[in-house]
């Protein structure tokens, strides 16, 4: 009976590491710690493992792929995320692909999607059908979970999470308006994802100031949603002198609603967006906004993914990156009359 030739999986099991880490040792990668390198080399010697030259050449020449899953190519916040991911993966031998998939309810979900990538970055809450049969390295980027079920899905995946601290960002926006003397401040929110955390930050800042929180958040987060939500708030509370929007698109809609009601920006009304998208930087808008640090989030997500590829069994990490307030021309001192 011919004895079975040991495989790379046998080496990984003997050394107590992943197959990908064994591959890194075979390629003499500097990213492997000395302790783990020695464990792999010892396992190779014990088993008498000899890598297949053909398989090694095939593996080294294969275009390894990281797939970013998004729900809408038009979402401007994904631009910085993609840029950061590409920066973080540069020189690591991975090709980034972006796949748009539908959203069912608040979750990214689609039946029958075959995982063709080596690893995935999820820019939203994963649904169960999407993840069926997927156990590869995963990072959730830009989304933190807005309910217990979402948090449970991240935990089940053993996925790393990288996002901006959206509560802090909304507090920065609201505190900026409070410092300018505004006391009647409304908030244009959404029903899921980062909008939930941004709403919480606004509410905390208003509560600490002893002021009422005025929120409309039963719609989406498009420009049209911002227009309709701002119209509702301004018609119901004409005393409002400032608005904090859940994103820059909603802020643009709010600007239109304010102009229709004869409000001059920023003399009669101040408006703050969120994300610091390219839209906010247009001179014609000059929008005060919160930089959600999507590029650093993407870079940190890439680094987390590479660590997880090297060691799939490491404890999941949770990284929150502080946002930054960008003051431009749509905010000013509160008017002396409501």
């Amino acid at each position: 009976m011919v004895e079975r030739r040991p495989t790379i999986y046998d080496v990984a099991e003997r050394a107590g590491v992943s197959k990908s880490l064994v591959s890194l040792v075979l390629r003499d990668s500097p990213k492997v710690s000395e302790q783990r390198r020695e464990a792999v080399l010892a396992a190779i010697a014990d088993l008498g493992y000899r890598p297949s030259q053909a398989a090694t050449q095939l593996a080294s020449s294969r275009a390894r792929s990281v797939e970013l899953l998004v729900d809408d190519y038009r979402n401007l916040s994904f631009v910085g995320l993609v840029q950061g991911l590409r920066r973080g993966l540069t020189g690591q031998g991975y090709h980034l692909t972006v796949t748009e998939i539908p959203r069912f309810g608040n979750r990214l979900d689609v039946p029958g999607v075959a995982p063709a990538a080596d690893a995935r970055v999820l820019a939203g809450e994963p649904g169960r059908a999407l993840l069926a049969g997927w156990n590869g390295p995963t990072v959730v980027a830009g989304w933190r979970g807005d309910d217990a079920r979402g948090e449970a899905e991240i935990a089940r995946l053993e996925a790393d999470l990288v996002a901006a601290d959206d509560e802090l960002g909304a507090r920065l926006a609201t505190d900026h308006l409070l410092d300018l003397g505004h006391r009647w401040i409304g908030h244009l929110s959404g029903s899921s994802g980062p909008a939930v955390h941004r709403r919480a930050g606004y509410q905390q800042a208003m509560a600490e100031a002893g002021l009422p929180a005025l929120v409309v958040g039963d719609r989406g987060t498009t420009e049209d949603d911002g227009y309709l939500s701002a119209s509702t708030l301004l018609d119901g509370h004409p005393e409002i002198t400032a608005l904090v929007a859940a994103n820059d698109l909603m802020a643009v809609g709010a600007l239109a609603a304010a102009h229709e009601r004869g409000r001059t920006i920023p003399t009669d009304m101040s408006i703050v967006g969120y994300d610091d998208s390219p839209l906010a930087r247009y001179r014609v808008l000059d929008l005060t906004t919160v930089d959600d640090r999507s590029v650093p989030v993407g870079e940190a997500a890439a680094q987390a993914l590479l660590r997880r590829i090297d060691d799939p069994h490491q404890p999941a990490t949770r990284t929150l990156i502080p946002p930054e307030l960008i003051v431009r021309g749509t905010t000013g001192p509160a008017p002396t009359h409501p």
Side-chain angles (χ1 to χ4, degrees):
M1 181 176 178
V2 178
E3 186 177 352
R4 183 177 69 86
R5 179 178 178 176
T7 68
I8 192 171
Y9 295 97
D10 297 321
V11 174
E13 182 178 2
R14 174 69 65 91
V17 299
S18 66
K19 169 185 169 290
S20 60
L21 192 136
V22 175
S23 296
L24 288 173
V25 172
L26 292 173
R27 296 199 302 269
D28 198 25
S29 170
K31 296 189 296 182
V32 182
S33 69
E34 195 59 34
Q35 180 180 1
R36 288 186 172 175
R37 186 185 304 277
E38 290 178 0
V40 170
L41 293 176
I44 289 173
D46 290 345
L47 294 170
Y49 171 72
R50 293 292 182 271
S52 163
Q53 185 176 6
T56 301
Q57 289 174 345
L58 179 62
S60 63
S61 64
R62 181 170 62 94
R64 296 178 293 174
S65 176
V66 171
E67 183 182 32
L68 170 65
L69 301 181
V70 303
D71 64 341
D72 189 350
Y73 282 129
R74 298 168 297 178
N75 188 328
L76 295 176
S77 66
F78 293 147
V79 174
L81 180 62
V82 170
Q83 183 181 352
L85 282 167
R86 284 179 173 159
R87 282 187 189 175
L89 294 172
T90 296
Q92 302 299 320
Y94 285 92
H95 172 67
L96 179 66
T97 62
V98 183
T99 302
E100 182 183 39
I101 60 174
R103 178 182 287 271
F104 290 85
N106 292 332
R107 289 168 170 77
L108 299 173
D109 220 352
V110 60
V113 173
D118 299 283
R120 276 179 168 175
V121 178
L122 308 180
E125 179 177 359
R128 291 188 178 277
L130 175 68
L131 298 173
W134 173 256
N135 293 306
T138 306
V139 171
V140 177
W143 177 86
R144 292 170 51 194
D146 48 29
D147 58 24
R149 182 168 61 169
E151 294 282 4
E153 280 298 303
I154 294 176
R156 185 185 70 79
L157 277 173
E158 297 182 351
D160 300 291
L161 185 149
V162 182
D165 189 340
D166 289 306
E167 281 96 342
L168 174 60
R171 288 177 65 93
L172 291 174
T174 309
D175 287 343
H176 169 62
L177 295 170
L178 290 169
D179 290 342
L180 289 171
H182 295 276
R183 292 298 175 264
W184 291 97
I185 304 170
H187 181 52
L188 314 178
S189 186
S191 59
S192 64
V196 173
H197 299 283
R198 294 170 188 181
R199 180 168 67 243
Y202 157 82
Q203 290 171 329
Q204 291 165 7
M206 294 299 283
E208 290 176 7
L211 298 170
L214 305 171
V215 181
V216 174
D218 55 350
R219 299 184 176 94
T221 55
T222 66
E223 186 271 343
D224 193 49
D225 294 321
Y227 171 81
L228 294 172
S229 295
S231 298
T232 298
L233 273 179
L234 295 177
D235 290 343
H237 299 275
E239 67 274 17
I240 286 176
T241 62
L243 293 170
V244 177
N247 64 20
D248 291 340
L249 280 175
M250 295 191 81
V252 172
L255 286 167
H259 284 310
E260 283 186 2
R261 287 155 180 79
R263 304 289 188 96
T264 301
I265 309 297
T267 306
D268 301 321
M269 170 73 64
S270 289
I271 295 178
V272 183
Y274 206 112
D275 289 334
D276 193 29
S277 65
L279 192 67
R281 302 166 210 158
Y282 290 162
R283 292 181 180 87
V284 69
L285 292 177
D286 198 29
L287 182 66
T288 294
T289 186
V290 176
D291 182 355
D292 66 348
R293 309 296 302 284
S294 57
V295 174
V297 166
E299 289 180 305
Q303 292 163 8
L305 194 64
L306 291 170
R307 289 194 299 268
R308 183 146 300 281
I309 290 171
D310 289 348
D311 182 4
H313 303 297
Q314 65 174 312
T317 59
R318 187 181 181 91
T319 304
L320 293 183
I321 295 177
E324 180 182 355
L325 178 70
I326 308 295
V327 178
R328 295 194 178 100
T330 58
T331 53
T336 56
H337 56 83

